[in-house]
Amino acid sequence: MTPRDLVLAVHGSTVPEAAATIARLADSVRGPTGAPVAVGHLDHQAPSLPHVLADRPGAVVVPLLLGDGYHRTVDIPAVARPFDCAVTRGLSGEHAVALALYDRLRAAERAAGGPADAVVVAGAGSSRPGGNDGTLAAVRQLGLLLPVPVTAAYCSASTPTPAEAVARLHARGFRRVAVATHLLAPGRFTRALASVPGTWAIGAPIADHARVARLVAARYASAGAGVEVPMRVACLRESLPL
């Protein structure tokens, strides 16, 4: 059976590094899944998601979103429906996301010279009910992996802001406060995080982490994308580094 196209639905960014990060993810899932992979943007970049889906009717759309806000629950399904595309769940709340955050945080701590004594998980933020559940899940899961306090912050639409969360932890006596970046790719939010005062270390975005690639491949397979997919996903688990 010919595999269905895989379309990665991303928010989009004006920051050039964002496209390169998503391209690395696309490369990571293209070979092991055997699927033609394309990227469709919701904002800021071309090609737009509607334009990509118009050329790929019946594709499997994987929302590259860490929360279940408006884009995941309303916007993407509405765009995909006229093209008879299957839309999978997003990435919100998955343990693979927390493990990717952990790896990126630990790498930043090593570069800074040692472990943090408190961690802020900085998500994009949403005012929609349930829109911040992915960030809160990451806080809970990282709290099980780290021997230090872990708290949430949001770059927009919700509080506390990352600067407020870091300041509160310093006020409680913590000195090495790190930020786990609950974001997929570089953009205006990651640039804002880089300027937050008092941070010990800041983890990199996670879209190009091997665990995220595995999760995307699993989402594609769950959509019944082709008879070869389960075998290829198993190969992905073995071939990609942790």
Side-chain angles (χ1 to χ4, degrees):
M1 180 183 294
T2 301
R4 297 163 71 180
D5 285 68
L6 166 57
V7 175
L8 306 176
V10 304
H11 188 274
S13 172
T14 58
V15 176
E17 296 90 343
T21 300
I22 299 301
R24 287 192 291 272
L25 170 61
D27 288 342
S28 294
V29 299
R30 184 176 288 112
T33 62
V37 181
V39 178
H41 303 90
L42 299 168
D43 202 358
H44 301 301
Q45 286 176 262
S48 68
L49 182 60
H51 179 82
V52 170
L53 297 187
D55 290 338
R56 296 165 179 82
V60 175
V61 181
V62 179
L64 290 188
L65 300 169
L66 296 177
D68 283 333
Y70 176 82
H71 283 313
R72 215 287 299 165
T73 59
V74 178
D75 197 17
I76 293 174
V79 171
R81 195 172 299 116
F83 305 109
D84 196 28
C85 294
V87 179
T88 74
R89 290 183 292 138
L91 312 183
S92 175
E94 291 291 343
H95 191 55
V97 170
L99 292 175
L101 286 174
Y102 178 86
D103 287 349
R104 293 285 158 90
L105 175 65
R106 286 308 200 197
E109 288 175 323
R110 288 193 294 271
D117 57 11
V119 172
V120 173
V121 178
S126 173
S127 58
R128 190 175 182 86
N132 291 327
D133 287 354
T135 300
L136 295 174
V139 169
R140 291 191 297 271
Q141 292 164 359
L142 274 183
L144 298 175
L145 297 172
L146 297 171
V148 300
V150 182
T151 189
Y154 306 98
C155 297
S156 69
S158 297
T159 57
T161 67
E164 289 169 342
V166 170
R168 290 175 187 178
L169 288 167
H170 279 298
R172 290 170 53 189
F174 297 102
R175 291 293 170 260
R176 293 184 170 187
V177 180
V179 174
T181 302
H182 190 244
L183 301 167
L184 287 167
R188 62 187 179 91
F189 289 157
T190 57
R191 288 182 171 179
L193 289 177
S195 65
V196 172
T199 55
W200 170 250
I202 302 175
I206 63 171
D208 55 354
H209 192 284
R211 292 189 183 274
V212 175
R214 296 175 190 178
L215 179 56
V216 169
R219 289 285 192 263
Y220 176 75
S222 73
V227 294
E228 297 292 330
V229 172
M231 179 185 71
R232 291 177 183 272
V233 172
C235 293
L236 177 66
R237 293 192 184 100
E238 296 176 0
S239 65
L240 287 177
L242 295 180

